[in-house]
Amino acid sequence: MSSPSPSRMSRRFQVSGMSCAACSARVEKAVSAVPGVESCAVSLLTNELAVAGSAPDEAVVEAVVKAGYGCAPEARPAVGAPEPTAAAAPDEQAEARALRRRLGWSLALLAALMYWSMGHMMLGWPLPRWFTEPEPNHVAMGLVQLLLAGAALVLNRRFFTSGLRGLLRGAPNMDSLVALGAGAAYAWSTAVLFLMTRAQVLGGTAAAEAWMGQYYFESAAMIVTLVTVGKTLEARAKGRTTSALRSLLALAPKTATVVREGREERIPVAQVRVGDVFLVRPGENVPVDGFVEEGESAVDESALTGESVPVDKAPGDTVSAATANRSGFLRCRATRVGADTALSQIVRLMQDAAATKAPVARLADRAAAVLKRMPRRAPTPLPTMICLLYTFSEPTRQEAIS
């Protein structure tokens, strides 16, 4: 289904559990089949689903859940009201910090693993004497690699849990591919380690050394580490997007001074109604959109227009939420509040644009869909893989046994 334009976006939902373009395509397909949905688009960057149409929220949420993902409606943030973007900021920041820590430990384990495997075998880098004297202890070297790679996989176990869930529900995703690749490399290397111990018993150190070249522990750790690098960069880009929205929403004050029954009251901006008279003193920000009834001042509108020179305001002139009153005292009357203010509409357009796919992204999705269907038309690669593994391992096995 084609992505709707931002102006047609009517509702947004937060979707959890997506990890790749295949996940977002699966969510779009499931939601598109809901009666009453005219168009929909999923943003993998912000984990948002934008839906236009008359379908009830419950039906959309049910379709996403049946597809294997979490979903919840997202309320439109109004100026002065608690916005979901700001409320979710601590969780996003905590998740980003945890991801960076996971990446740091993964890189450290991968560096140690590369030293033990490639560094020693190919470059001759030294190892502790216990592993090399009086004879090279290849089984012990393999055990060290087994432990280092195992720690890296346990550290990145989220790929395996998410990938396994996708396989069980018949909807494999990118995590499934990562789990299969890293798991296969680790399982094969573990099997080689057991075969090496048998070769050590039958043929000594020389027979065990013949198996050293068939370890792929470093490949297993490298797969999950490199994907974690991508996840970290993705989280960083997502953080910048949500940070821009939070900064924009933070421009509006949380409270406003209104005049009701001849008395000044300080109330939350969310409680300001159309027709209320509000006061803006020098140095304060305008809480809602309105027009000036009394007073003159210079108002800084750079937050909305980008114009750095303050604009003079007099009775009858309009003022907008989040603009700053620089000099005089203004008595204004509210004309647009909440989600109807200019600032809220700008935020809405930014969020809808983030959930709308560019033409090049839709083209990439169509290409990915074609590639996804190709394995179904081609012979299964499993017999070929088994034959190749047997063929390439046979000379080494014969050499080890002899």
Side-chain angles (χ1 to χ4, degrees), residues 33-56:
V34 175
V37 173
E38 298 177 5
S39 56
C40 66
V42 176
S43 172
L44 188 61
L45 179 63
T46 58
N47 292 326
E48 286 185 343
L49 164 66
V51 178
S54 58

Side-chain angles (χ1 to χ4, degrees), residues 13-301:
F13 300 80
Q14 278 292 328
V15 181
S16 59
M18 296 189 300
S19 60
C20 62
C23 297
S24 60
R26 191 171 296 111
V27 171
E28 286 187 0
K29 183 178 179 180
V31 175
S32 299
V34 175
V37 173
E38 298 177 5
S39 56
C40 66
V42 176
S43 172
L44 188 61
L45 179 63
T46 58
N47 292 326
E48 286 185 343
L49 164 66
V51 178
S54 58
D57 291 353
E58 294 77 9
V60 175
V61 172
E62 183 181 359
V64 176
V65 171
K66 285 184 177 180
Y69 305 92
C71 183
E74 180 182 284
R76 294 279 189 185
V79 172
E83 57 274 358
T85 312
D91 293 338
E92 293 177 359
Q93 294 172 0
E95 183 179 354
R97 287 194 296 269
L99 190 58
R100 288 194 295 268
R101 287 195 299 268
R102 197 175 86 194
L103 175 61
W105 282 106
S106 298
L107 289 173
L109 291 170
L110 179 61
L113 191 53
M114 294 298 291
Y115 184 95
W116 279 89
S117 57
M118 301 297 182
H120 174 67
M121 294 294 297
M122 300 180 62
L123 304 178
W125 291 350
L127 293 178
R129 296 176 59 183
W130 188 83
F131 293 93
T132 57
E133 296 179 4
E135 290 183 334
N137 190 342
H138 300 293
V139 173
M141 297 178 192
L143 287 173
V144 171
Q145 296 183 45
L146 174 75
L147 295 175
L148 290 174
L153 297 187
V154 171
L155 192 63
N156 295 277
R157 59 189 176 276
R158 292 184 62 178
F159 294 124
F160 295 87
T161 56
S162 174
L164 181 60
R165 284 198 301 266
L167 289 174
L168 292 178
R169 63 174 177 251
N173 51 28
M174 185 188 71
D175 290 344
S176 303
L177 298 178
V178 173
L180 287 175
Y186 189 81
W188 170 263
S189 302
T190 302
V192 168
L193 179 60
F194 280 94
L195 292 173
M196 177 186 287
T197 60
R198 177 173 175 80
Q200 177 87 22
V201 173
L202 297 178
T205 302
E209 186 177 4
W211 289 93
M212 286 294 291
Q214 298 207 37
Y215 279 147
Y216 294 99
F217 287 119
E218 76 284 351
S219 299
M222 185 173 293
I223 289 173
V224 295
T225 301
L226 291 181
V227 177
T228 303
V229 171
K231 293 285 187 181
T232 305
L233 296 177
E234 178 183 338
R236 183 180 180 184
K238 179 180 177 181
R240 288 180 175 178
T241 301
T242 55
S243 176
L245 292 176
R246 287 194 297 269
S247 300
L248 192 58
L249 288 167
L251 293 175
K254 304 304 179 185
T255 59
T257 302
V258 300
V259 178
R260 290 179 176 174
E261 299 179 355
R263 294 183 294 109
E264 294 186 11
E265 298 180 15
R266 195 78 174 175
I267 63 173
V269 173
Q271 297 180 10
V272 179
R273 299 292 180 259
V274 175
D276 282 348
V277 174
F278 62 92
L279 309 178
V280 186
R281 293 178 170 83
E284 295 181 346
N285 284 2
V286 179
V288 295
D289 293 357
F291 65 91
V292 179
E293 286 189 338
E294 297 179 11
E296 295 182 355
S297 179
V299 177
D300 183 0
E301 298 182 340

